[in-house]
Amino acid sequence: MNGLKENLENLSNTHNIEEFLIAAAYWLAIILIILFIFFVSVKLNNFIQDRKRKKSSSEKDDFIDRIGI
């Protein structure tokens, strides 16, 4: 009976797993935030570069002429 009690206590001891999952979720959130900031900065940079070159929407959409077909 004591062995059964010890096994049940060991099964209910999930503190280490909880700490690991919380740490993994924390770092995953940090990585996603960094990727989102990178994505926004690249989009903003492309927008600024297009404004500097004064590209019109027809020039940006004319992909076939740009590749020479």
Side-chain angles (χ1 to χ4, degrees):
M1 193 67 173
N2 280 342
L4 182 60
K5 274 188 177 179
E6 284 181 22
N7 287 337
L8 287 175
E9 287 175 6
N10 287 337
L11 286 176
S12 64
N13 187 9
T14 59
H15 182 69
N16 292 338
I17 295 171
E18 290 173 17
E19 284 183 358
F20 173 76
L21 291 176
I22 290 172
Y26 172 78
W27 284 109
L28 183 63
I30 295 293
I31 290 170
L32 288 176
I33 289 170
I34 290 171
L35 288 174
F36 179 74
I37 291 171
F38 178 73
F39 175 76
V40 169
S41 65
V42 166
K43 287 292 188 179
L44 188 60
N45 186 33
N46 287 343
F47 177 75
I48 292 170
Q49 294 299 322
D50 286 345
R51 287 292 225 169
K52 283 182 181 177
R53 285 179 275 190
K54 300 200 187 286
K55 276 189 166 183
S56 66
S57 61
S58 64
E59 289 174 339
K60 287 190 339 187
D61 292 338
D62 200 4
F63 179 72
I64 293 176
D65 284 341
R66 284 191 290 161
I67 60 173
I69 293 177

